[in-house]
CSV table of all heavy atoms in Angstrom, one decimal:
chain,number,residue,atom,x,y,z
A,42,GLN,N,-216.8,123.3,-165.9
A,42,GLN,CA,-216.7,124.8,-166.3
A,42,GLN,C,-217.9,125.6,-165.8
A,42,GLN,O,-217.8,126.7,-165.4
A,42,GLN,CB,-216.6,124.8,-167.8
A,42,GLN,CG,-215.2,124.4,-168.4
A,42,GLN,CD,-214.2,125.4,-168.1
A,42,GLN,OE1,-214.1,126.4,-168.7
A,42,GLN,NE2,-213.3,125.0,-167.2
A,43,GLU,N,-219.1,124.9,-165.8
A,43,GLU,CA,-220.3,125.6,-165.3
A,43,GLU,C,-220.3,125.8,-163.8
A,43,GLU,O,-220.9,126.7,-163.3
A,43,GLU,CB,-221.5,124.8,-165.7
A,43,GLU,CG,-221.8,124.8,-167.1
A,43,GLU,CD,-222.8,123.7,-167.6
A,43,GLU,OE1,-223.3,123.0,-166.7
A,43,GLU,OE2,-223.2,123.7,-168.8
A,44,TRP,N,-219.4,125.1,-163.1
A,44,TRP,CA,-219.2,125.4,-161.7
A,44,TRP,C,-218.6,126.7,-161.5
A,44,TRP,O,-219.0,127.5,-160.6
A,44,TRP,CB,-218.3,124.3,-161.0
A,44,TRP,CG,-218.1,124.4,-159.6
A,44,TRP,CD1,-219.0,124.1,-158.6
A,44,TRP,CD2,-216.9,124.9,-158.9
A,44,TRP,NE1,-218.4,124.3,-157.4
A,44,TRP,CE2,-217.2,124.9,-157.6
A,44,TRP,CE3,-215.7,125.4,-159.3
A,44,TRP,CZ2,-216.2,125.2,-156.6
A,44,TRP,CZ3,-214.8,125.8,-158.4
A,44,TRP,CH2,-215.0,125.7,-157.0
A,45,TYR,N,-217.8,127.2,-162.4
A,45,TYR,CA,-217.2,128.5,-162.4
A,45,TYR,C,-218.1,129.5,-163.1
A,45,TYR,O,-218.1,130.7,-162.6
A,45,TYR,CB,-215.8,128.5,-163.0
A,45,TYR,CG,-214.8,127.7,-162.4
A,45,TYR,CD1,-214.6,126.3,-162.8
A,45,TYR,CD2,-214.0,128.1,-161.3
A,45,TYR,CE1,-213.5,125.5,-162.2
A,45,TYR,CE2,-213.1,127.4,-160.7
A,45,TYR,CZ,-212.8,126.1,-161.1
A,45,TYR,OH,-211.9,125.3,-160.4
A,46,MET,N,-218.8,129.1,-164.1
A,46,MET,CA,-219.5,130.0,-165.0
A,46,MET,C,-220.9,129.5,-165.2
A,46,MET,O,-221.2,128.8,-166.3
A,46,MET,CB,-218.8,130.2,-166.3
A,46,MET,CG,-217.5,130.9,-166.1
A,46,MET,SD,-216.6,130.8,-167.7
A,46,MET,CE,-216.2,129.0,-167.8
A,47,PRO,N,-221.9,129.7,-164.3
A,47,PRO,CA,-223.3,129.1,-164.6
A,47,PRO,C,-224.0,129.7,-165.8
A,47,PRO,O,-224.9,129.1,-166.3
A,47,PRO,CB,-224.0,129.4,-163.3
A,47,PRO,CG,-223.2,130.6,-162.6
A,47,PRO,CD,-221.8,130.4,-163.0
A,48,ASP,N,-223.5,130.8,-166.3
A,48,ASP,CA,-224.1,131.4,-167.5
A,48,ASP,C,-223.3,131.1,-168.8
A,48,ASP,O,-223.3,131.8,-169.8
A,48,ASP,CB,-224.1,132.9,-167.4
A,48,ASP,CG,-222.8,133.6,-166.8
A,48,ASP,OD1,-221.8,132.9,-167.0
A,48,ASP,OD2,-222.8,134.7,-166.3
A,49,ARG,N,-222.5,130.0,-168.7
A,49,ARG,CA,-221.7,129.7,-169.8
A,49,ARG,C,-222.4,129.4,-171.1
A,49,ARG,O,-222.0,129.9,-172.2
A,49,ARG,CB,-220.9,128.4,-169.5
A,49,ARG,CG,-219.8,127.9,-170.5
A,49,ARG,CD,-218.9,126.9,-169.8
A,49,ARG,NE,-218.0,126.3,-170.7
A,49,ARG,CZ,-218.0,125.1,-171.3
A,49,ARG,NH1,-219.1,124.3,-171.0
A,49,ARG,NH2,-217.1,124.6,-172.1
A,50,GLU,N,-223.5,128.7,-171.1
A,50,GLU,CA,-224.3,128.5,-172.3
A,50,GLU,C,-224.8,129.8,-172.9
A,50,GLU,O,-225.0,129.9,-174.1
A,50,GLU,CB,-225.4,127.5,-172.1
A,50,GLU,CG,-224.9,126.1,-171.7
A,50,GLU,CD,-224.0,125.5,-172.8
A,50,GLU,OE1,-224.3,125.8,-174.0
A,50,GLU,OE2,-223.2,124.7,-172.5
A,51,GLU,N,-225.2,130.8,-172.0
A,51,GLU,CA,-225.7,132.1,-172.5
A,51,GLU,C,-224.7,132.8,-173.3
A,51,GLU,O,-224.9,133.4,-174.4
A,51,GLU,CB,-226.1,132.9,-171.3
A,51,GLU,CG,-226.7,134.2,-171.7
A,51,GLU,CD,-228.0,134.3,-172.4
A,51,GLU,OE1,-228.6,133.2,-172.5
A,51,GLU,OE2,-228.5,135.3,-172.9
A,52,ARG,N,-223.4,132.8,-172.9
A,52,ARG,CA,-222.4,133.4,-173.7
A,52,ARG,C,-222.2,132.7,-175.1
A,52,ARG,O,-222.0,133.3,-176.1
A,52,ARG,CB,-221.1,133.6,-172.9
A,52,ARG,CG,-220.4,132.3,-172.7
A,52,ARG,CD,-219.2,132.5,-171.7
A,52,ARG,NE,-219.8,132.8,-170.3
A,52,ARG,CZ,-219.0,133.2,-169.3
A,52,ARG,NH1,-217.7,133.5,-169.4
A,52,ARG,NH2,-219.5,133.4,-168.2
A,53,PHE,N,-222.3,131.4,-175.1
A,53,PHE,CA,-222.2,130.7,-176.3
A,53,PHE,C,-223.3,131.0,-177.3
A,53,PHE,O,-223.1,131.2,-178.5
A,53,PHE,CB,-222.1,129.2,-176.0
A,53,PHE,CG,-220.9,128.7,-175.5
A,53,PHE,CD1,-220.9,127.6,-174.6
A,53,PHE,CD2,-219.6,129.1,-175.8
A,53,PHE,CE1,-219.7,127.1,-174.1
A,53,PHE,CE2,-218.5,128.6,-175.3
A,53,PHE,CZ,-218.5,127.6,-174.4
A,54,ARG,N,-224.5,131.1,-176.7
A,54,ARG,CA,-225.7,131.5,-177.5
A,54,ARG,C,-225.5,132.8,-178.2
A,54,ARG,O,-225.8,133.0,-179.4
A,54,ARG,CB,-227.0,131.4,-176.6
A,54,ARG,CG,-228.2,131.7,-177.5
A,54,ARG,CD,-229.5,131.8,-176.6
A,54,ARG,NE,-229.5,133.0,-175.8
A,54,ARG,CZ,-229.8,134.2,-176.2
A,54,ARG,NH1,-230.2,134.4,-177.4
A,54,ARG,NH2,-229.9,135.2,-175.4
A,55,ILE,N,-225.1,133.8,-177.4
A,55,ILE,CA,-224.9,135.1,-177.9
A,55,ILE,C,-223.9,135.1,-179.0
A,55,ILE,O,-224.0,135.8,-180.1
A,55,ILE,CB,-224.6,136.1,-176.8
A,55,ILE,CG1,-225.8,136.2,-175.8
A,55,ILE,CG2,-224.3,137.5,-177.4
A,55,ILE,CD1,-227.0,136.7,-176.5
A,56,MET,N,-222.8,134.4,-178.7
A,56,MET,CA,-221.7,134.3,-179.7
A,56,MET,C,-222.1,133.8,-181.0
A,56,MET,O,-221.8,134.3,-182.1
A,56,MET,CB,-220.6,133.4,-179.1
A,56,MET,CG,-219.4,133.2,-180.0
A,56,MET,SD,-218.2,132.1,-179.3
A,56,MET,CE,-217.4,133.1,-178.1
A,57,LEU,N,-223.0,132.7,-181.0
A,57,LEU,CA,-223.5,132.1,-182.3
A,57,LEU,C,-224.5,133.0,-182.9
A,57,LEU,O,-224.7,133.0,-184.1
A,57,LEU,CB,-224.0,130.7,-182.0
A,57,LEU,CG,-222.9,129.7,-181.5
A,57,LEU,CD1,-223.4,128.3,-181.4
A,57,LEU,CD2,-221.8,129.7,-182.6
A,58,ASP,N,-225.3,133.7,-182.1
A,58,ASP,CA,-226.2,134.7,-182.7
A,58,ASP,C,-225.5,135.7,-183.5
A,58,ASP,O,-225.9,136.1,-184.6
A,58,ASP,CB,-227.0,135.5,-181.6
A,58,ASP,CG,-228.1,134.7,-181.0
A,58,ASP,OD1,-228.5,133.6,-181.4
A,58,ASP,OD2,-228.6,135.1,-179.9
A,59,MET,N,-224.4,136.2,-183.0
A,59,MET,CA,-223.5,137.2,-183.7
A,59,MET,C,-222.8,136.6,-184.9
A,59,MET,O,-222.7,137.3,-186.0
A,59,MET,CB,-222.5,137.8,-182.7
A,59,MET,CG,-223.2,138.7,-181.6
A,59,MET,SD,-224.1,140.1,-182.2
A,59,MET,CE,-225.7,139.5,-182.2
A,60,VAL,N,-222.4,135.3,-184.8
A,60,VAL,CA,-221.9,134.7,-186.0
A,60,VAL,C,-223.0,134.7,-187.1
A,60,VAL,O,-222.7,135.1,-188.2
A,60,VAL,CB,-221.5,133.2,-185.7
A,60,VAL,CG1,-221.2,132.4,-187.0
A,60,VAL,CG2,-220.2,133.2,-184.8
A,61,GLU,N,-224.2,134.3,-186.8
A,61,GLU,CA,-225.2,134.2,-187.8
A,61,GLU,C,-225.6,135.6,-188.3
A,61,GLU,O,-225.6,135.8,-189.6
A,61,GLU,CB,-226.5,133.6,-187.2
A,61,GLU,CG,-227.6,133.5,-188.2
A,61,GLU,CD,-228.8,132.7,-187.5
A,61,GLU,OE1,-228.8,132.4,-186.3
A,61,GLU,OE2,-229.8,132.4,-188.3
A,62,ALA,N,-225.6,136.6,-187.5
A,62,ALA,CA,-225.9,138.0,-187.9
A,62,ALA,C,-224.9,138.6,-188.8
A,62,ALA,O,-225.2,139.3,-189.8
A,62,ALA,CB,-226.1,138.9,-186.7
A,63,LEU,N,-223.6,138.2,-188.6
A,63,LEU,CA,-222.5,139.0,-189.3
A,63,LEU,C,-221.9,138.1,-190.4
A,63,LEU,O,-221.4,138.7,-191.4
A,63,LEU,CB,-221.5,139.4,-188.3
A,63,LEU,CG,-222.0,140.6,-187.4
A,63,LEU,CD1,-221.1,140.7,-186.2
A,63,LEU,CD2,-222.0,141.9,-188.2
A,64,VAL,N,-221.8,136.8,-190.3
A,64,VAL,CA,-221.2,136.0,-191.3
A,64,VAL,C,-222.0,134.8,-191.8
A,64,VAL,O,-221.5,134.0,-192.6
A,64,VAL,CB,-219.7,135.5,-190.9
A,64,VAL,CG1,-218.9,136.7,-190.7
A,64,VAL,CG2,-219.9,134.6,-189.7
A,65,GLY,N,-223.3,134.6,-191.3
A,65,GLY,CA,-224.1,133.7,-191.9
A,65,GLY,C,-224.1,132.3,-191.2
A,65,GLY,O,-223.5,132.2,-190.2
A,66,THR,N,-224.7,131.3,-191.8
A,66,THR,CA,-225.0,130.1,-191.2
A,66,THR,C,-224.0,128.9,-191.7
A,66,THR,O,-224.1,127.8,-191.4
A,66,THR,CB,-226.4,129.6,-191.3
A,66,THR,OG1,-226.7,129.6,-192.8
A,66,THR,CG2,-227.4,130.6,-190.7
A,67,ALA,N,-223.1,129.3,-192.6
A,67,ALA,CA,-222.1,128.3,-193.1
A,67,ALA,C,-220.7,128.9,-193.0
A,67,ALA,O,-220.0,128.9,-193.9
A,67,ALA,CB,-222.5,127.9,-194.5
A,68,PRO,N,-220.3,129.3,-191.8
A,68,PRO,CA,-219.0,130.0,-191.8
A,68,PRO,C,-217.8,129.1,-191.7
A,68,PRO,O,-217.9,127.9,-191.2
A,68,PRO,CB,-219.1,130.8,-190.4
A,68,PRO,CG,-220.1,129.9,-189.6
A,68,PRO,CD,-221.0,129.4,-190.6
Side-chain angles (χ1 to χ4, degrees):
Q42 290 287 285
E43 287 165 1
W44 184 75
Y45 295 96
M46 298 167 289
D48 49 22
R49 185 168 177 255
E50 292 301 328
E51 178 70 5
R52 70 191 70 192
F53 287 145
R54 183 184 67 80
I55 297 297
M56 180 180 282
L57 296 182
D58 281 351
M59 294 298 96
V60 167
E61 183 173 5
L63 290 163
V64 296
T66 59

